[in-house]
């Protein structure tokens, strides 16, 4: 039931004034000075129904956090954890109190979205690596892109893939190298674009 706080007012004002100018969205920093175009776009879409009602925003944040917690379970199972181990990891992720601002603070929406797309991208890559088709690879690459456009912390996605491939003793194989190159190229390209926008 908490009302808005600090940066929330800036973000809501930007969301309200968004006129679907995608060029402006991807070519300028947000009202809070950050370059998070997907997060700003998402908030603009959410504003059309949530408006300035804090409960609508908080319920949306809790829903995304619940989806992320379920995704932790799914990824843990795909990594070979037991059902109990995966459930414990997901429950710990869901209730751990070190980062509550990501769930209860409107400005923390970027963290929720980045986590959602990172987890989705990891699940897609693991499925691809386990014999899934090329669409899983494309889905993982797209998820990484959306994660990076949601928050800067997602630039570590390619590193997570390196850790995953190393855990499978596949890092030195040609298949792993060919799989990693597109992720590294897209990451470097998005970083270069971000630097050009922010100066």
């Amino acid at each position: 039931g908490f009302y808005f706080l600090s940066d929330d007012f800036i973000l809501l004002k930007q969301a309200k004034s968004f006129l679907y100018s995608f060029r402006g969205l991807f070519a300028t920093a947000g009202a809070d000075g950050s370059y998070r175009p997907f997060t700003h776009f998402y908030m603009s879409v959410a504003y059309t129904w949530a408006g300035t009602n804090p409960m609508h925003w908080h319920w949306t944040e809790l829903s995304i956090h619940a989806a992320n917690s379920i995704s932790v379970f799914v990824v843990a199972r795909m990594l070979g954890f037991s059902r109990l181990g995966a459930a414990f990891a997901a429950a710990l992720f869901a209730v751990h109190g070190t980062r509550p601002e990501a769930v209860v603070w409107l400005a923390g929406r970027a963290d929720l979205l980045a986590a959602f797309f990172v987890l989705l991208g990891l699940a897609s890559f693991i499925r691809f690596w386990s014999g899934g088709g090329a669409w899983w690879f494309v889905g993982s690459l797209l998820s990484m892109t959306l994660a990076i456009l949601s928050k800067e912390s997602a630039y570590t996605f390619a590193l997570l893939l390196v850790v995953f491939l190393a855990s499978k003793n596949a890092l030195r194989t040609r298949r792993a190298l060919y799989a990693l190159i597109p992720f590294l190229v897209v990451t470097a390209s998005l970083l270069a674009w971000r630097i050009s926008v922010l100066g």
Side-chain angles (χ1 to χ4, degrees):
F2 288 150
Y3 194 60
F4 302 117
L5 174 70
S6 186
D7 292 352
D8 295 349
F9 295 100
I10 297 169
L11 296 171
L12 285 173
K13 182 178 179 182
Q14 180 182 4
K16 181 180 180 181
S17 65
F18 181 62
L19 300 173
Y20 295 92
S21 168
F22 291 101
R23 180 177 177 176
L25 189 66
F26 286 95
T28 59
D32 59 350
S34 65
Y35 183 72
R36 300 171 182 168
F38 185 80
T39 298
H40 295 306
F41 172 72
Y42 173 84
M43 292 188 68
S44 298
V45 172
Y47 185 87
T48 60
W49 75 273
T52 56
N53 184 330
M55 286 304 294
H56 289 177
W57 288 101
H58 291 318
W59 278 111
T60 306
E61 290 168 343
L62 286 172
S63 299
I64 297 171
H65 182 59
N68 288 345
S69 300
I70 292 167
S71 297
V72 168
F73 175 83
V74 170
V75 169
R77 288 290 288 156
M78 293 176 85
L79 290 172
F81 284 67
S82 68
R83 187 178 300 273
L84 181 62
F88 178 77
L92 184 63
F93 179 86
V95 301
H96 204 285
T98 61
R99 298 291 179 271
E101 67 275 7
V103 181
V104 299
W105 186 25
L106 183 63
R109 181 67 53 91
D111 297 283
L112 293 175
L113 291 172
F116 176 79
F117 288 117
V118 164
L119 290 165
L120 183 63
L122 284 174
S124 298
F125 188 85
I126 294 168
R127 182 69 179 94
F128 160 75
W129 192 257
S130 303
W135 285 110
W136 290 104
F137 182 84
V138 172
S140 181
L141 193 60
L142 179 62
S143 295
M144 180 198 73
T145 301
L146 292 174
I148 289 172
L149 294 176
S150 295
K151 187 158 186 196
E152 313 73 48
S153 55
Y155 279 105
T156 60
F157 186 88
L159 179 61
L160 294 175
L161 296 186
V162 169
V163 171
F164 168 73
L165 292 170
S167 74
K168 299 293 183 186
N169 293 320
L171 197 54
R172 296 185 181 186
T173 65
R174 189 171 293 185
R175 180 179 179 216
L177 179 64
Y178 289 154
L180 283 175
I181 286 174
F183 288 92
L184 296 172
V185 168
V186 170
T187 299
S189 300
L190 289 171
L191 182 59
W193 178 256
R194 175 188 170 83
I195 291 170
S196 73
V197 169
L198 295 179

